[in-house]
Amino acid sequence: MMEAINSGQPAAWPEVRGGETFRIVKVSPEGEAVTEYPATVAISHCGDEWVCVEARWTFRSLNIDGLIFEPGDRLLEWFSRDHWYNVFAIYSPEGEYRGCYANVTYPTRYDPVTSPPTLAWHDLYLDVIALPDGSYVIRDEDELDESGLASTAPDLHARIVAGCRELLAHLQSGAAPFHRLRETE
């Protein structure tokens, strides 16, 4: 089931308008849908590779390696059909940039048939937290090791590691979407 949402050719990336609604679905590494929530298009012109939606943090307060999440925080979530990661920029209700939480994932899938359309992202263990001071932390390397993918699915394991390297290279160089994280549009 792990590749269920990732088989076949990716659906064409949608032409989106500001305020358009999507349903965001997070799929666990094991292939189970674990959460879903509504989001609206926040930036309608972000190139062919990315869709940027806005959502609100509705859960309890969290501090994950220095990245603070508070109820009411605004999240700009960047999804790609081409890259093996996504990026969530976190802003306080007053607009202060708190940092970003990036997930190594399969490329995001777009389903235009559902109402509203769905963006589904399939998590692949590794996460990166980046703080405004430029520091970052790679999370969940132990979970990737414990998954056994290095021996049971070495190609996928190598792709996950490569996705993390690409994410870090783009973060450090300021490549899209990292060049826009401090913008709050």
CSV table of all heavy atoms in Angstrom, one decimal, residues 14 25-26 34-35 45 47 56-57 67 76 79 94-95 100 102 104 107 110 117 120 143 154 158 163 175 181 185:
chain,number,residue,atom,x,y,z
A,14,PRO,N,-2.5,21.9,-10.9
A,14,PRO,CA,-3.6,22.7,-11.2
A,14,PRO,C,-3.2,24.2,-11.4
A,14,PRO,O,-2.2,24.6,-10.9
A,14,PRO,CB,-4.5,22.6,-10.0
A,14,PRO,CG,-3.5,22.3,-8.9
A,14,PRO,CD,-2.5,21.5,-9.5
A,25,VAL,N,-4.3,16.0,2.6
A,25,VAL,CA,-4.3,14.7,3.2
A,25,VAL,C,-2.8,14.2,3.4
A,25,VAL,O,-2.1,14.2,2.5
A,25,VAL,CB,-5.0,13.6,2.4
A,25,VAL,CG1,-4.9,12.2,3.1
A,25,VAL,CG2,-6.5,14.0,2.2
A,26,LYS,N,-2.5,14.0,4.7
A,26,LYS,CA,-1.2,13.4,5.0
A,26,LYS,C,-1.3,11.9,5.2
A,26,LYS,O,-2.2,11.4,5.8
A,26,LYS,CB,-0.7,14.0,6.4
A,26,LYS,CG,0.6,13.3,6.8
A,26,LYS,CD,1.1,13.8,8.2
A,26,LYS,CE,2.4,13.1,8.5
A,26,LYS,NZ,2.8,13.4,9.9
A,34,VAL,N,-3.5,9.7,7.8
A,34,VAL,CA,-3.5,10.0,9.2
A,34,VAL,C,-4.1,11.3,9.6
A,34,VAL,O,-4.5,11.5,10.8
A,34,VAL,CB,-2.1,9.9,9.8
A,34,VAL,CG1,-1.6,8.5,9.7
A,34,VAL,CG2,-1.1,10.8,9.1
A,35,THR,N,-4.2,12.2,8.7
A,35,THR,CA,-4.9,13.5,9.0
A,35,THR,C,-5.3,14.2,7.7
A,35,THR,O,-4.7,13.9,6.6
A,35,THR,CB,-4.0,14.5,9.8
A,35,THR,OG1,-4.8,15.5,10.3
A,35,THR,CG2,-2.8,15.0,9.0
A,45,HIS,N,0.7,32.4,-7.9
A,45,HIS,CA,1.8,32.4,-8.9
A,45,HIS,C,3.1,32.0,-8.3
A,45,HIS,O,3.9,32.8,-7.9
A,45,HIS,CB,1.9,33.8,-9.6
A,45,HIS,CG,0.7,34.3,-10.2
A,45,HIS,ND1,0.1,33.7,-11.3
A,45,HIS,CD2,-0.2,35.2,-9.8
A,45,HIS,CE1,-1.0,34.3,-11.6
A,45,HIS,NE2,-1.2,35.3,-10.7
A,47,GLY,N,5.0,29.3,-9.8
A,47,GLY,CA,5.7,28.5,-10.8
A,47,GLY,C,5.0,27.2,-11.0
A,47,GLY,O,4.0,26.8,-10.4
A,56,ARG,N,-4.4,26.9,9.1
A,56,ARG,CA,-4.2,27.3,10.5
A,56,ARG,C,-3.8,26.2,11.4
A,56,ARG,O,-4.4,25.1,11.3
A,56,ARG,CB,-5.4,28.0,11.0
A,56,ARG,CG,-5.8,29.3,10.3
A,56,ARG,CD,-4.8,30.4,10.6
A,56,ARG,NE,-5.0,31.6,9.8
A,56,ARG,CZ,-4.4,32.7,9.9
A,56,ARG,NH1,-3.5,32.9,10.9
A,56,ARG,NH2,-4.6,33.7,9.1
A,57,TRP,N,-3.0,26.4,12.4
A,57,TRP,CA,-2.6,25.4,13.4
A,57,TRP,C,-3.8,25.4,14.4
A,57,TRP,O,-4.0,26.4,15.0
A,57,TRP,CB,-1.3,25.8,14.0
A,57,TRP,CG,-0.9,24.7,15.0
A,57,TRP,CD1,-0.9,24.8,16.4
A,57,TRP,CD2,-0.3,23.4,14.7
A,57,TRP,NE1,-0.4,23.6,16.9
A,57,TRP,CE2,-0.1,22.8,15.9
A,57,TRP,CE3,0.0,22.8,13.5
A,57,TRP,CZ2,0.5,21.5,16.0
A,57,TRP,CZ3,0.5,21.5,13.6
A,57,TRP,CH2,0.8,20.9,14.8
A,67,LEU,N,11.2,25.0,17.2
A,67,LEU,CA,10.2,25.6,16.4
A,67,LEU,C,8.9,25.5,17.1
A,67,LEU,O,8.4,24.5,17.5
A,67,LEU,CB,10.1,24.8,15.1
A,67,LEU,CG,9.0,25.3,14.1
A,67,LEU,CD1,9.3,26.7,13.6
A,67,LEU,CD2,9.0,24.4,12.8
A,76,LEU,N,2.0,28.5,5.8
A,76,LEU,CA,2.1,28.5,4.4
A,76,LEU,C,2.7,27.2,4.0
A,76,LEU,O,3.9,26.9,4.4
A,76,LEU,CB,2.9,29.7,3.8
A,76,LEU,CG,2.2,31.0,3.9
A,76,LEU,CD1,3.1,32.1,3.3
A,76,LEU,CD2,0.8,31.1,3.4
A,79,PHE,N,3.7,22.6,-1.6
A,79,PHE,CA,3.7,21.2,-2.1
A,79,PHE,C,4.2,21.2,-3.6
A,79,PHE,O,3.9,22.1,-4.4
A,79,PHE,CB,2.3,20.7,-2.1
A,79,PHE,CG,1.7,20.6,-0.7
A,79,PHE,CD1,0.9,21.6,-0.2
A,79,PHE,CD2,2.0,19.5,0.1
A,79,PHE,CE1,0.3,21.5,1.1
A,79,PHE,CE2,1.5,19.5,1.4
A,79,PHE,CZ,0.7,20.5,1.9
A,94,GLU,N,0.5,37.3,14.6
A,94,GLU,CA,0.9,38.7,14.3
A,94,GLU,C,1.8,38.8,13.0
A,94,GLU,O,2.2,39.9,12.7
A,94,GLU,CB,1.6,39.3,15.5
A,94,GLU,CG,0.8,39.3,16.7
A,94,GLU,CD,0.6,38.0,17.5
A,94,GLU,OE1,1.5,37.2,17.5
A,94,GLU,OE2,-0.6,37.8,18.0
A,95,GLY,N,2.1,37.6,12.4
A,95,GLY,CA,2.9,37.6,11.2
A,95,GLY,C,4.4,37.4,11.4
A,95,GLY,O,5.1,37.4,10.4
A,100,CYS,N,10.5,26.9,9.7
A,100,CYS,CA,9.8,26.0,8.8
A,100,CYS,C,10.0,24.5,9.2
A,100,CYS,O,11.0,24.2,9.9
A,100,CYS,CB,10.1,26.2,7.4
A,100,CYS,SG,11.7,25.7,6.9
A,102,ALA,N,9.9,20.9,7.3
A,102,ALA,CA,9.9,20.3,6.0
A,102,ALA,C,9.9,18.8,6.1
A,102,ALA,O,10.6,18.3,7.0
A,102,ALA,CB,11.1,20.8,5.1
A,104,VAL,N,10.4,15.0,4.1
A,104,VAL,CA,10.7,14.2,3.0
A,104,VAL,C,9.5,13.4,2.7
A,104,VAL,O,8.9,12.7,3.5
A,104,VAL,CB,12.0,13.4,3.2
A,104,VAL,CG1,12.2,12.5,2.0
A,104,VAL,CG2,13.2,14.2,3.5
A,107,PRO,N,6.6,12.8,-4.2
A,107,PRO,CA,6.0,14.0,-4.7
A,107,PRO,C,4.5,14.0,-4.5
A,107,PRO,O,3.8,13.0,-4.4
A,107,PRO,CB,6.3,13.8,-6.2
A,107,PRO,CG,7.6,13.0,-6.3
A,107,PRO,CD,7.4,12.0,-5.1
A,110,TYR,N,-2.1,15.2,-6.8
A,110,TYR,CA,-3.3,16.1,-7.0
A,110,TYR,C,-4.4,15.3,-7.5
A,110,TYR,O,-4.3,14.6,-8.5
A,110,TYR,CB,-2.9,17.3,-7.9
A,110,TYR,CG,-4.0,18.1,-8.4
A,110,TYR,CD1,-4.8,18.8,-7.5
A,110,TYR,CD2,-4.4,18.1,-9.8
A,110,TYR,CE1,-5.9,19.6,-8.0
A,110,TYR,CE2,-5.4,18.9,-10.2
A,110,TYR,CZ,-6.2,19.6,-9.3
A,110,TYR,OH,-7.2,20.4,-9.8
A,117,PRO,N,-10.8,19.7,-4.4
A,117,PRO,CA,-9.7,18.9,-4.9
A,117,PRO,C,-8.8,18.6,-3.7
A,117,PRO,O,-8.7,19.3,-2.8
A,117,PRO,CB,-9.0,19.8,-5.9
A,117,PRO,CG,-10.1,20.8,-6.3
A,117,PRO,CD,-11.0,21.0,-5.1
A,120,ALA,N,-2.5,15.3,-1.7
A,120,ALA,CA,-2.1,14.2,-0.8
A,120,ALA,C,-0.6,14.1,-0.8
A,120,ALA,O,0.0,14.0,-1.8
A,120,ALA,CB,-2.8,12.9,-1.2
A,143,GLU,N,13.9,6.6,13.0
A,143,GLU,CA,12.7,6.0,12.4
A,143,GLU,C,12.9,5.4,11.0
A,143,GLU,O,12.5,4.3,10.7
A,143,GLU,CB,11.5,6.9,12.3
A,143,GLU,CG,10.9,7.3,13.7
A,143,GLU,CD,9.8,8.3,13.6
A,143,GLU,OE1,9.2,8.4,12.5
A,143,GLU,OE2,9.5,8.9,14.6
A,154,PRO,N,16.0,-0.9,-0.9
A,154,PRO,CA,17.2,-0.1,-0.9
A,154,PRO,C,17.0,1.1,-1.9
A,154,PRO,O,17.6,2.2,-1.6
A,154,PRO,CB,18.3,-1.0,-1.3
A,154,PRO,CG,17.7,-2.2,-1.8
A,154,PRO,CD,16.3,-2.3,-1.2
A,158,ALA,N,17.4,4.9,-0.6
A,158,ALA,CA,18.4,5.8,-1.3
A,158,ALA,C,17.6,7.1,-1.7
A,158,ALA,O,18.2,8.2,-1.6
A,158,ALA,CB,19.1,5.2,-2.4
A,163,GLY,N,16.4,12.8,-1.2
A,163,GLY,CA,15.4,13.8,-1.0
A,163,GLY,C,15.7,14.7,0.1
A,163,GLY,O,15.6,16.0,0.0
A,175,ALA,N,16.9,28.3,-2.7
A,175,ALA,CA,16.1,27.9,-3.9
A,175,ALA,C,14.6,27.8,-3.5
A,175,ALA,O,14.3,27.6,-2.3
A,175,ALA,CB,16.6,26.6,-4.5
A,181,LEU,N,10.0,32.1,2.1
A,181,LEU,CA,9.5,31.8,3.4
A,181,LEU,C,9.3,33.0,4.3
A,181,LEU,O,8.4,33.0,5.2
A,181,LEU,CB,10.5,30.8,4.1
A,181,LEU,CG,10.6,29.4,3.5
A,181,LEU,CD1,11.4,28.5,4.4
A,181,LEU,CD2,9.2,28.8,3.2
A,185,GLU,N,2.6,37.3,2.3
A,185,GLU,CA,1.5,37.7,1.3
A,185,GLU,C,0.2,37.7,2.0
A,185,GLU,O,-0.5,36.8,2.3
A,185,GLU,CB,1.6,36.7,0.2
A,185,GLU,CG,2.7,37.1,-0.8
A,185,GLU,CD,2.5,36.5,-2.1
A,185,GLU,OE1,1.4,36.2,-2.6
A,185,GLU,OE2,3.6,36.4,-2.8
